[in-house]
Amino acid sequence: MQRKGVSYSSKYQKACIKVTSLKIDAAFLQNHCEVLCAICRGCSIFCFRSIYSLFRRESMGTLLADEKSENPNNGVEQLHHQNDADAGALFVLKSKAFHLHNKFNSNVNTTVEKNVIGEKSRSVISWFHRLDLGADLDEEKAVGNCVVLEHHAQMGKRQLRFRDMASDILGPRWGRYFVGPIQFAVCYGAVVACTLLGGQCMKAIYLLSNPNGTMKLYEFVIIFGCFMLILAQIPSFHSLRHINLVSLILCLAYSAAATAGSIYIGESSKGPEKDYSLKGDTENRLFGMFNAIAIIATTYGNGIIPEIQATLAPPVKGKMFKGLCICYLVLIVTFFSVSVSGYWAFGNESEGLILSNFVDNGRPLVPKWFIYMTNIFTIAQLSAVGVVYLQPTNEVLEQTFGDPKSPEFSNRNVIPRVISRSLAITIATTIAAMLPFFGDINSLIGAFGFIPLDFILPVIFYNFTFKPSKRSPIFWLNVTIAVAFSALGAIAAVAAVRQIVLDAKNYRLFANV
């Protein structure tokens, strides 16, 4: 209750002046504001929580996560307040996205990738355990990253990149020499994989329409790379929102088509005899299982959650979590239906790309127009996934060659941007054309990259950020996950290297597979 004759506005102004003049520590205010509010209840002393909010606004030049901004350019202004603001953060990771745009970006990064390139290990390990464990752990680590990012944003410093998180939480060397290179490798590897798969889908359409055609796989990879070369020039992550919306719609269409095709073939007499047993002897099964785990890590990997959240316009609180909830809802509907129906229809004969099973020795098992349509959906999605995973590379290139003091579309920034991004796509396309067996290399990237980046570091970040009691279950759960996946990553790396050695006799540069 307000006392008679007491003006709250005057008390508020005096209190704020006193707080800022005395330079009261912000952490002290945050830790004690609840106690002070309880002590002061019913008197005229102003709530220290409001004083703390104003103090943070005025002294740090940013907004708390739960405060509204009336300035639409506030995301860019926040970057300028940070000491490490650079051209990559200002131009590529613009904080302009609304809640709806975040759903598009998250879904393309998480759902589309898993639907299109997420079926490689189905013939090696039981689909039920793979789907259940992979989805649970993927969601847990994604939400954990989201919570840590929101905490830092609430404390006045948004983490824009994965390596920024590692630098602030674990130390600058971790960000520069461990997390940064790993993220760059896995994201650039995803670009190479998408380029290769895009070329394979184009070749499938070509051979279906012209069975005696003489064009090679690397030619289709180059054609797809030229298309990626155009998309790579889109200036910022936020600019991809409309492409990601179209890709999300096509993802739903692809999933429906792939599921319907698998059920049609499985119910007819055209499909192969269903065999759900594991191939090979005990040794090959064991190493194959660990190799599949590495591929699963690559499939479920999501190494750019900080970069996606960086595109959100403030306040960021709750937006990423809502986007992830929608993302995993779409994932359940699409990815599970494709995986379960595909494994049911083809058993251990299922290919890394489910559409490959729709053609048996050049004979289509479904109508040709259906295969054409589904492959076109796939090509469009692969281009969207590839350009999304190219953003960390673009950010590094922009940081290296861009000038944050010059306008974004000035000659000083546009010319290096076009040259560097074109070179990055050219190198990725060359690697994809030279190494059509990139799937084996991808499992190695999953073991060395995605497992630590997506399953180990998030729980470490959580424990270092929130410092839960060593007696609490969450602390030991995170420690268990970190230790278990560290051992799993080491074994998976050995299995991936073994598989590469076994397949080396079949490797040939620019092979037409």
Side-chain angles (χ1 to χ4, degrees):
M1 295 290 295
Q2 180 176 345
R3 289 187 178 179
K4 220 172 191 182
V6 176
S7 170
Y8 266 71
S9 59
S10 61
K11 287 284 184 181
Y12 178 78
Q13 293 171 0
K14 293 179 181 179
C16 289
I17 293 172
K18 186 174 182 180
V19 168
T20 53
S21 63
L22 292 177
K23 297 182 180 179
I24 298 177
D25 182 66
F28 171 84
L29 283 173
Q30 185 186 31
N31 293 332
H32 293 80
C33 59
E34 291 285 358
V35 178
L36 289 169
C37 288
I39 295 174
C40 302
R41 188 179 294 119
C43 70
S44 61
I45 301 178
F46 199 84
C47 175
F48 263 59
R49 182 174 295 281
S50 299
I51 301 173
Y52 168 66
S53 298
L54 183 66
F55 175 79
R56 291 289 299 279
R57 269 203 314 269
E58 295 182 349
S59 62
M60 298 186 180
T62 187
L63 290 171
L64 287 176
D66 56 352
E67 295 180 321
K68 300 291 184 182
S69 170
E70 297 180 358
N71 184 357
N73 296 320
N74 188 69
V76 178
E77 291 178 0
Q78 275 188 292
L79 295 178
H80 281 292
H81 282 296
Q82 296 184 12
N83 294 329
D84 58 348
D86 51 60
L90 292 174
F91 301 149
V92 178
L93 303 177
K94 294 180 180 179
S95 300
K96 290 185 175 182
F98 297 116
H99 172 47
L100 192 62
H101 301 154
N102 174 251
K103 293 178 183 178
F104 304 155
N105 295 334
S106 300
N107 272 285
V108 169
N109 179 48
T110 304
T111 305
V112 174
E113 177 202 9
K114 292 165 178 53
N115 272 285
V116 177
I117 61 176
E119 303 157 3
K120 178 70 177 175
S121 60
R122 189 165 42 207
S123 61
V124 186
I125 191 169
S126 167
W127 64 265
F128 178 81
H129 296 94
R130 170 178 177 258
L131 296 177
D132 185 36
L133 180 62
D136 288 345
L137 290 175
D138 186 51
E139 183 176 6
E140 187 271 338
K141 59 88 180 172
V143 172
N145 268 339
C146 177
V147 171
V148 172
L149 287 166
E150 288 189 355
H151 173 78
H152 283 280
Q154 192 172 6
M155 297 304 294
K157 183 174 176 60
R158 289 183 65 178
Q159 304 295 336
L160 305 177
R161 294 160 286 214
F162 221 124
R163 64 180 183 274
D164 292 343
M165 291 180 66
S167 297
D168 286 354
I169 297 173
L170 302 178
R173 292 187 177 180
W174 283 91
R176 178 176 298 179
Y177 300 113
F178 183 72
V179 175
I182 283 180
Q183 186 192 34
F184 183 86
V186 298
C187 291
Y188 198 69
V191 176
V192 175
C194 287
T195 306
L196 175 59
L197 287 174
Q200 289 177 345
C201 290
M202 296 177 71
K203 181 186 175 185
I205 294 176
Y206 171 74
L207 291 179
L208 194 61
S209 60
N210 185 13
N212 298 320
T214 58
M215 290 185 68
K216 308 298 183 183
L217 175 61
Y218 67 84
E219 297 178 74
F220 294 102
V221 171
I222 294 173
I223 294 173
F224 187 86
C226 293
F227 180 55
M228 286 290 295
L229 192 65
I230 299 173
L231 293 179
Q233 308 308 325
I234 296 176
S236 67
F237 207 155
H238 178 63
S239 303
L240 299 175
R241 61 194 182 279
H242 300 109
I243 294 177
N244 291 341
L245 171 60
V246 174
S247 179
L248 175 59
I249 296 173
L250 292 178
C251 172
L252 298 174
Y254 164 83
S255 300
T259 302
S262 297
I263 294 175
Y264 172 81
I265 296 173
E267 289 286 354
S268 67
S269 58
K270 299 179 180 179
E273 183 179 351
K274 299 181 181 67
D275 183 8
Y276 303 109
S277 62
L278 297 179
K279 297 180 179 180
D281 54 23
T282 304
E283 179 184 351
N284 288 329
R285 289 181 182 180
L286 181 62
F287 279 102
M289 181 184 67
F290 285 109
N291 191 47
I293 290 174
I295 300 173
I296 291 171
T298 306
T299 299
Y300 281 100
N302 189 338
I304 57 175
I305 283 183
E307 284 77 6
I308 293 176
Q309 185 154 335
T311 65
L312 283 171
V316 301
K317 186 177 182 180
K319 291 182 180 178
M320 191 68 184
F321 179 75
K322 292 177 182 177
L324 288 174
C325 289
I326 299 297
C327 169
Y328 283 99
L329 177 62
V330 176
L331 173 62
I332 292 172
V333 174
T334 57
F335 179 67
F336 281 27
S337 61
V338 174
S339 296
V340 174
S341 62
Y343 189 75
W344 168 78
F346 305 108
N348 57 21
E349 296 296 328
S350 59
E351 299 289 341
L353 187 64
I354 192 66
L355 300 183
S356 301
N357 290 103
F358 288 6
V359 179
D360 183 21
N361 294 324
R363 180 175 61 92
L365 304 179
V366 293
K368 285 187 177 182
W369 65 265
F370 188 86
I371 298 178
Y372 291 150
M373 177 187 68
T374 312
N375 273 286
I376 290 172
F377 290 163
T378 306
I379 292 171
Q381 292 176 75
L382 286 168
S383 62
V385 174
V387 75
V388 164
Y389 270 99
L390 187 64
Q391 297 310 302
T393 302
N394 290 346
E395 186 273 324
V396 172
L397 295 174
E398 200 82 23
Q399 181 183 13
T400 304
F401 301 108
D403 181 12
K405 297 180 181 180
S406 300
E408 179 182 3
F409 296 106
S410 64
N411 290 334
R412 169 62 183 84
N413 286 317
V414 169
I415 294 176
R417 181 182 303 140
V418 171
I419 294 175
S420 60
R421 294 186 183 188
S422 300
L423 185 61
I425 290 295
T426 301
I427 294 174
T429 303
T430 304
I431 295 174
M434 289 177 60
L435 309 175
F437 43 83
F438 192 73
D440 288 347
I441 300 175
N442 223 22
S443 63
L444 188 63
I445 293 176
F448 280 110
F450 274 115
I451 287 181
L453 197 66
D454 290 297
F455 297 97
I456 300 175
L457 286 175
V459 296
I460 294 177
F461 287 165
Y462 186 94
N463 277 2
F464 272 76
T465 299
F466 296 102
K467 296 180 173 58
S469 172
K470 292 183 178 180
R471 297 181 180 179
S472 64
I474 188 64
F475 175 84
W476 288 107
L477 175 63
N478 288 339
V479 170
T480 302
I481 291 175
V483 173
F485 274 91
S486 296
L488 199 60
I491 298 174
V494 173
V497 172
R498 174 182 178 273
Q499 190 63 42
I500 291 175
V501 172
L502 292 177
D503 294 341
K505 60 179 179 295
N506 300 321
Y507 290 166
R508 185 166 56 85
L509 296 181
F510 298 101
N512 184 35
V513 296

